[in-house]
Amino acid sequence: MTRTAATVEGAADPVRAALLRYVLRLGDTSLVLGQRLGEWIGHAPALEEDLGLANIALDLIGQARLLLTYAGEIEGRGRDEDALAFLRDGSDFFNLTLVEQPNGDFGRTIVRQLLVDAWQLEVYEALCASTDRRLAEIAAKAVKETRYHLRYSAGWTVRLGDGTEESHRRVQTALDELWPFTVELVTADEIDALLASRGIAPPLEELAPRWNARIDEVLREATLQRPADVPYAWFGKQGVHSEHLGYLLAEMQFLQRAYPGARW
Amino acid sequence: MNASSTVRTGTGPVRRPSEVWRLLESVHDPEIPVLSIVELGIVRYVALREDGRVEVGLTPTYSGCPATDVIRASVRDVLAKAGHADAVIREVLSPPWTSDWITEEGRRKLREFGIAPPADSVSSPRALLGSAAVACPRCGSTQTERVSEFGSTPCKAHYRCTSCLEPFDYFKCI
């Protein structure tokens, strides 16, 4: 946490440094979740869900490409989307801790997806009005795709939650276990606050009740219990990750690390 | 397929934007070969720059659509054959692509090809709720059901007709 503060406060242009960090947070969140969903290819419970998860992964990776390309331009050190995706180490990734959590069963993947989709939808809807034009353009594109993703994850959450005793038990357990990772989604740090003050990013304290309302509505229909809030919060968005990210990166980055510069 | 030879009557490169548009009509989406990129609505503008180069603005349908790179390469290729090897191709993100931009002709071709075109305008409340009636492209019946929100490509969903029992692709309304 102190590392993040120092990096941004010590920068010649603190707003630009914060913007870079914020764009990496969004881009890394999409990239890591896209990689996780890709693990389902060939393994989903039915062909339709295999295609569904792969399609969502594709949208997410597409969004990550736009965001990481922009991040590389803000940084101005000649790193493109590929360099940022494949040649950074774990502590330089700023994705939400929630998205790096393992897939588990289909129900757990769906619960994770619901929590993130609802968050991304709020963020992208707000970013459409960002004072940063490029970010607003990317958000306008992503928001349409995200709305569609949420329809899918909310639909499955309701079917599984309000399904059989077994499916209900499994998604409730997944929700209980993933809930602590949602704190950072709605808790602003100095980067969120600085960018909100410039109209670049939405204030998280305004976004939080909308995210909560959206989630509560789905949970109610799914007959699921909203877990109690926990005092401890993860901060993947500050580069402090769970033990799972390293394994994910090892697989995702293997080719570029083993064969530097390899191309299709 | 060689549209450039039919458009180019003289020896020099094509000069007018309308000729460039005609060239672009020969470029197809590799995943929906029945549609040209003009009919799909992803060509946003054509301009002749002051430095004499042709500039084309393309917008992706979905951010992760793998056809985007292929389409850009095809456009470059067609323009190069028409004497514009130095054409500039720009990605246009805003306003984002919508299925409303598929032309009437494009919708007819989709239906004939066996893909149900978007049933509604995106501004319709029915489209927002995902409840628009989708007609089977084979028998025309609206007695259809959604099998999955997602299909063989990012732009399509998977449907089934309960009248003629055929499965079919539906072009998502976004």
Side-chain angles (χ1 to χ4, degrees):
Chain A
M1 263 182 247
T2 47
R3 195 171 57 96
T4 306
T7 312
V8 173
E9 278 164 16
D13 182 347
V15 175
R16 195 174 171 81
L19 177 64
L20 168 60
R21 183 60 57 86
Y22 186 76
V23 174
L24 284 173
R25 286 176 178 180
L26 295 177
D28 290 346
T29 293
S30 288
L31 177 66
V32 170
L33 185 57
Q35 175 73 11
R36 273 284 182 239
L37 292 180
E39 292 171 13
W40 274 108
I41 296 172
H43 301 283
L47 180 59
E48 287 73 16
E49 304 336 309
D50 211 285
L51 288 171
L53 295 171
N55 266 289
I56 296 172
L58 197 57
D59 286 342
L60 288 169
I61 289 170
Q63 294 162 12
R65 291 185 62 182
L66 295 172
L67 289 161
L68 293 184
T69 297
Y70 184 33
E73 290 169 23
I74 300 169
E75 186 188 48
R77 281 169 45 198
R79 292 205 282 184
D80 65 3
E81 49 177 305
D82 287 335
L84 287 171
F86 297 122
L87 301 174
R88 270 182 304 153
D89 289 333
S91 56
D92 292 326
F93 269 75
F94 301 104
N95 57 278
L96 300 170
T97 323
L98 177 60
V99 298
E100 72 207 34
Q101 298 312 302
N103 286 335
D105 59 19
F106 181 70
R108 177 173 297 245
T109 292
I110 287 297
V111 169
R112 185 187 61 198
Q113 197 63 34
L114 170 75
L115 298 171
V116 181
D117 285 344
W119 181 82
Q120 283 185 327
L121 184 55
E122 293 299 341
V123 170
Y124 287 136
E125 274 183 354
L127 281 177
C128 289
S130 171
T131 52
D132 186 278
R133 199 169 147 230
R134 180 81 166 271
L135 208 44
E137 284 186 3
I138 296 172
K141 183 82 201 152
V143 76
K144 294 175 156 212
E145 296 164 356
T146 309
R147 205 170 282 139
Y148 204 85
H149 301 166
L150 180 61
R151 224 164 81 184
Y152 177 83
S153 58
W156 267 112
T157 302
V158 170
R159 251 174 288 172
L160 294 170
D162 193 17
T164 64
E165 218 170 281
E166 174 73 4
S167 68
H168 177 88
R169 185 185 62 76
R170 288 207 199 188
V171 290
Q172 182 67 58
T173 304
L175 183 64
D176 293 342
E177 290 176 7
L178 293 174
W179 195 254
F181 298 108
T182 62
V183 178
E184 67 172 319
L185 275 63
V186 288
T187 307
D189 65 3
E190 66 273 25
I191 288 174
D192 295 312
L194 176 60
L195 294 179
S197 74
R198 305 300 167 102
I200 294 174
L204 282 185
E205 54 278 15
E206 283 176 23
L207 186 146
R210 294 201 300 272
W211 178 81
N212 275 310
R214 229 183 251 281
I215 293 295
D216 285 345
E217 191 189 328
V218 177
L219 295 186
R220 217 172 9 253
E221 204 185 333
T223 71
L224 293 166
Q225 287 294 321
R226 181 191 168 96
D229 286 331
V230 291
Y232 186 73
W234 288 87
F235 276 96
K237 67 179 178 181
Q238 296 181 344
V240 184
H241 293 278
S242 66
E243 69 273 29
H244 304 294
L245 182 66
Y247 295 99
L248 180 143
L249 294 181
E251 184 169 339
M252 187 180 85
Q253 298 182 331
F254 167 78
L255 197 102
Q256 278 303 320
R257 300 283 196 179
Y259 306 96
R263 300 189 67 84
W264 282 107
Chain B
M1 199 50 232
N2 195 352
S4 54
S5 63
T6 59
V7 173
R8 288 179 67 199
T9 48
T11 48
V14 296
R15 284 283 169 228
R16 290 201 302 270
S18 60
E19 292 177 305
V20 176
W21 278 101
R22 222 175 312 153
L23 285 175
L24 296 176
E25 280 167 13
S26 72
V27 178
H28 294 256
D29 181 330
E31 286 176 342
I32 319 163
V34 68
L35 279 195
S36 81
I37 57 173
V38 175
E39 288 161 335
L40 190 55
I42 63 175
V43 181
R44 298 317 301 155
Y45 68 86
V46 168
L48 286 179
R49 291 158 41 125
E50 279 181 10
D51 62 7
R53 295 163 79 184
V54 166
E55 184 172 315
V56 174
L58 296 177
T59 192
T61 51
Y62 285 77
S63 343
C65 182
T68 308
D69 290 338
V70 179
I71 290 171
R72 196 175 302 132
S74 306
V75 168
R76 193 169 291 290
D77 198 41
V78 162
L79 292 175
K81 282 186 185 143
H84 288 281
D86 60 352
V88 177
I89 299 170
R90 286 206 192 285
E91 183 178 65
V92 182
L93 278 187
S94 179
W97 181 81
T98 158
S99 48
D100 286 359
W101 291 348
I102 302 175
T103 64
E104 277 309 313
E105 180 68 2
R107 282 160 202 266
R108 187 184 60 75
K109 286 184 180 173
L110 278 175
R111 210 174 291 119
E112 282 174 8
F113 190 61
I115 299 173
D120 248 319
S121 164
V122 287
S123 55
S124 152
R126 278 179 307 172
L128 197 66
L129 299 168
S131 58
V134 174
C136 171
R138 293 174 203 281
C139 73
S141 166
T142 50
Q143 301 298 308
T144 59
E145 60 185 16
R146 189 176 67 212
V147 178
S148 171
E149 265 114 346
F150 297 92
S152 55
T153 66
C155 56
K156 287 176 278 181
H158 188 190
Y159 272 68
R160 175 164 52 211
C161 176
T162 53
S163 295
C164 73
L165 304 180
E166 285 291 325
F168 63 91
D169 274 334
Y170 168 58
F171 210 103
K172 288 181 202 167
C173 187
I174 75 155

